[in-house]
Amino acid sequence: MRFITKYYKECRIAFIKSAFFVIGLCVLFCPTFVIPESEGENMFVVKLNGKEVGCVGSSEEAGECLKNARAEIQKENEDLVFVKTEISCESKESWFGKTDSKSDVISKMKDVMMSDRIADRKTAYMIKVNDFTANVESAEAVTDILQAALDKYAENNPYRVELVPDPDREINVLTTKVVDSTKQINDQTQTFTAGFARAMHDMDAESEMRLRMSFDDFDYGLVDISYDDKVEVIETFVSPMDLMASDQAKEILTKDQDKPAIYEVKSGDTLSEIALDVDIPLDKLVEMNSELLEDENSPIRVGEELVITVPEPELSVGRKEEIYYEEAFDAPVEYVYNDSWYTTDSAIRQQPSAGYRQVAAVVSYHNDRVTDTDILKEVDTISPVAKIVEVGTKAPPSYIKPISGGRLTSGFGPRSRPTKGASSYHRGIDWATPTGTAVYASCAGTVARAGWGSGYGYVVYINHEDGRQTRYGHLSKVLV
């Protein structure tokens, strides 16, 4: 039996008031308690790299804690620290949930990041040439590697490579600049006469000067050198395990490797000559072009493109050299045109004789391959004798089949004797046709003979302009 005093109602009211008062104090002085809401997700369990690091009131608060944790780690370490940070927030609704303080969440985040820190990384420089990349330890190593590519083609090379900002890139990317260390840069501004007139004047003056110069006056040697491939250098941070030794990078960039290329067939080319020129075995050349060539005897046509391989380094170099040389040379062939001859007729009127000359020239190279020659001065010590050829200009006559239809019964050339005593070499072509089939001249000409001929029956002989004669035998009648 419950005992009830006369003050029961007053005590109950006082108890309720006290409870509300205590709740109000808790809300006011205990901010780590989340105010219950009637709806919505109001608590977030934070995980970093899959590990729980605390509970916060919003995803924005979790992001702020991560930012502060990173800043504190960087402040506590002199070297760069690379950490893995994969954060996730799992939301939920709670009426009386407790959140962790920011300092506790930041501390736990720091512990997780340091335990999961990526191995120490070093400042490095990445060299990128075409599809090749290499990470080396310093900018000095980069220039040393790139310099080796230049020195491969020039002894006592005065040209030096420098790293400069790439004007075509917005991010911090470096590229190369090759400078002549022997030349002094003149910063004085000079005023020149502009325009075409000045350019022509300079060209004329240079030509006159070359004519007055002897071959000993030219400054032979390397004129210019540069990279034919785009070189990019980027500062980065890598693991020591990802660094490449300078000697290894030099070998890869400068060593010749077989690279695919295209050879366009020119007039006069043969497969065997092409194979010799590009230094590829003939059977391998056929194999590389199996879609175009069946075997070593397959025909090739002018303009066709053959796949070949050429030895080239990963980093190609272009250069110009001023050189002196002597050579034998032929004069251009001279043609005498005869309007009374056909284009198929020709005759040599004078045999050629090679000349000999001294030459000073600027020769352009792509690696070791000559791409262009600019003659500066040349003197013929022995004049050549040109080959003179007389050729015809008239188009030769064309011949057509003299009948329409017909069945070929005997071709031109060797055959079995059709009758005893007949020739085994047939000097004509036989067609079987119905009697009365019209026979026309194969080409315009003059009738030389018409009538009955032994062995041919009714026959017609026609002489043509090119000196040939056609014969039409076994006719049923002659209509000329």
Side-chain angles (χ1 to χ4, degrees):
M1 180 177 179
R2 185 171 57 180
F3 180 74
I4 301 175
T5 67
K6 64 180 181 178
Y7 302 107
Y8 171 73
K9 290 184 178 180
E10 290 81 355
C11 292
R12 187 174 181 181
I13 292 171
F15 174 77
I16 293 173
K17 288 181 178 180
S18 299
F20 278 106
F21 179 74
V22 171
I23 292 173
L25 289 177
C26 290
V27 171
L28 183 63
F29 297 104
C30 301
T32 55
F33 285 94
V34 177
I35 300 176
E37 296 180 2
S38 60
E39 59 182 56
E41 298 170 339
N42 54 7
M43 292 188 66
F44 294 84
V45 178
V46 183
K47 291 184 178 181
L48 185 63
N49 300 341
K51 301 173 185 176
E52 189 172 327
V53 293
C55 185
V56 296
S58 67
S59 58
E60 290 78 9
E61 185 178 345
E64 184 180 350
C65 290
L66 179 61
K67 181 179 178 181
N68 292 334
R70 284 175 167 170
E72 290 185 15
I73 288 178
Q74 188 60 51
K75 188 182 296 184
E76 294 169 1
N77 294 268
E78 295 181 359
D79 298 329
L80 287 173
V81 178
F82 294 87
V83 295
K84 177 183 176 183
T85 54
E86 295 180 1
I87 190 171
S88 64
C89 296
E90 181 181 342
S91 59
K92 64 180 181 178
E93 183 180 1
S94 176
W95 286 94
F96 297 100
K98 180 181 178 181
T99 59
D100 297 305
S101 65
K102 286 186 178 180
S103 59
D104 288 343
V105 175
I106 291 172
S107 178
K108 291 180 180 179
M109 282 182 171
K110 288 169 59 178
D111 292 340
V112 171
M113 285 191 287
M114 292 305 290
S115 64
D116 293 347
R117 67 187 293 180
I118 301 173
D120 292 339
R121 296 200 171 195
K122 298 181 62 176
T123 301
Y125 289 83
M126 182 179 71
I127 305 172
K128 184 178 185 302
V129 179
N130 301 321
D131 296 329
F132 169 80
T133 58
N135 298 310
V136 295
E137 59 184 358
S138 65
E140 290 76 15
V142 173
T143 55
D144 183 53
I145 293 167
L146 297 177
Q147 186 67 42
L150 300 180
D151 294 342
K152 175 182 177 182
Y153 300 99
E155 295 182 3
N156 302 319
N157 180 17
Y159 288 84
R160 293 291 174 263
V161 61
E162 296 179 356
L163 298 180
V164 296
D166 190 341
D168 299 329
R169 301 290 294 272
E170 295 182 0
I171 61 175
N172 188 24
V173 176
L174 302 176
T175 189
T176 56
K177 178 182 179 182
V178 179
V179 297
D180 187 350
S181 61
T182 62
K183 293 183 179 179
Q184 298 294 328
I185 300 176
N186 185 2
D187 292 331
Q188 296 179 352
T189 303
Q190 299 181 355
T191 304
F192 296 95
T193 303
F196 179 76
R198 176 68 191 190
M200 293 301 296
H201 178 271
D202 291 344
M203 291 176 61
D204 292 341
E206 185 177 359
S207 298
E208 291 178 7
M209 181 184 66
R210 289 176 181 173
L211 289 174
R212 293 194 299 267
M213 293 172 62
S214 70
F215 287 104
D216 294 333
D217 294 331
F218 286 90
D219 187 16
Y220 300 112
L222 190 63
V223 175
D224 188 27
I225 191 168
S226 61
Y227 301 109
D228 281 350
D229 290 310
K230 177 73 172 178
V231 179
E232 295 180 332
V233 179
I234 305 171
E235 186 176 5
T236 184
F237 300 94
V238 299
S239 168
M241 299 294 294
D242 295 329
L243 289 175
M244 181 180 290
S246 295
D247 290 342
Q248 182 182 0
K250 283 182 187 178
E251 182 178 3
I252 294 175
L253 284 179
T254 60
K255 185 178 180 181
D256 286 343
Q257 307 171 46
D258 285 339
K259 292 187 176 182
I262 298 297
Y263 180 90
E264 184 175 336
V265 177
K266 301 185 292 293
S267 177
D269 278 346
T270 64
L271 277 178
S272 57
E273 289 175 342
I274 294 173
L276 289 174
D277 289 343
V278 300
D279 195 23
I280 298 177
L282 183 55
D283 57 345
K284 184 177 179 181
L285 181 63
V286 172
E287 180 183 351
M288 293 169 61
N289 296 273
S290 57
E291 295 183 358
L292 186 64
L293 307 174
E294 294 183 0
D295 53 38
E296 299 175 355
N297 299 316
S298 298
I300 54 176
R301 297 172 179 83
V302 174
E304 287 183 334
E305 294 182 343
L306 300 179
V307 178
I308 62 172
T309 57
V310 293
E312 283 193 352
E314 190 66 50
L315 178 55
S316 292
V317 173
R319 71 187 191 280
K320 293 182 178 180
E321 293 186 14
E322 191 171 299
I323 63 173
Y324 168 82
Y325 60 92
E326 299 179 5
E327 65 175 359
F329 70 102
D330 294 320
V333 177
E334 297 179 7
Y335 293 96
V336 176
Y337 298 101
N338 189 327
D339 294 337
S340 63
W341 287 10
Y342 292 108
T343 55
T344 52
D345 299 328
S346 65
I348 298 176
R349 299 308 182 195
Q350 178 174 280
Q351 293 292 343
S353 176
Y356 200 76
R357 63 187 172 191
Q358 297 173 292
V359 182
V362 174
V363 181
S364 300
Y365 297 88
H366 174 76
N367 298 321
D368 285 324
R369 178 168 53 86
V370 176
T371 58
D372 189 32
T373 300
D374 181 18
I375 303 296
L376 302 178
K377 182 182 178 69
E378 62 180 356
V379 174
D380 295 350
T381 55
I382 300 177
S383 297
V385 176
K387 181 179 182 179
I388 300 178
V389 181
E390 186 174 4
V391 295
T393 60
K394 291 197 310 180
S398 58
Y399 291 82
I400 63 172
K401 184 180 177 182
I403 61 171
S404 177
R407 175 173 57 86
L408 181 67
T409 57
S410 180
F412 187 92
R415 65 174 180 178
S416 299
R417 290 185 175 87
T419 59
K420 185 177 181 181
S423 173
S424 62
Y425 191 90
H426 192 204
R427 298 183 180 276
I429 299 175
D430 292 344
W431 278 289
T433 60
T435 300
T437 299
V439 180
Y440 300 94
S442 292
C443 181
T446 303
V447 175
R449 177 185 170 192
W452 186 267
S454 176
Y456 292 103
Y458 287 111
V459 64
V460 175
Y461 294 82
I462 299 178
N463 294 333
H464 304 282
E465 287 188 75
D466 59 356
R468 295 175 180 174
Q469 185 184 74
T470 53
R471 179 178 61 229
Y472 309 85
H474 308 299
L475 304 174
S476 61
K477 65 173 63 175
V478 175
L479 299 178
V480 295

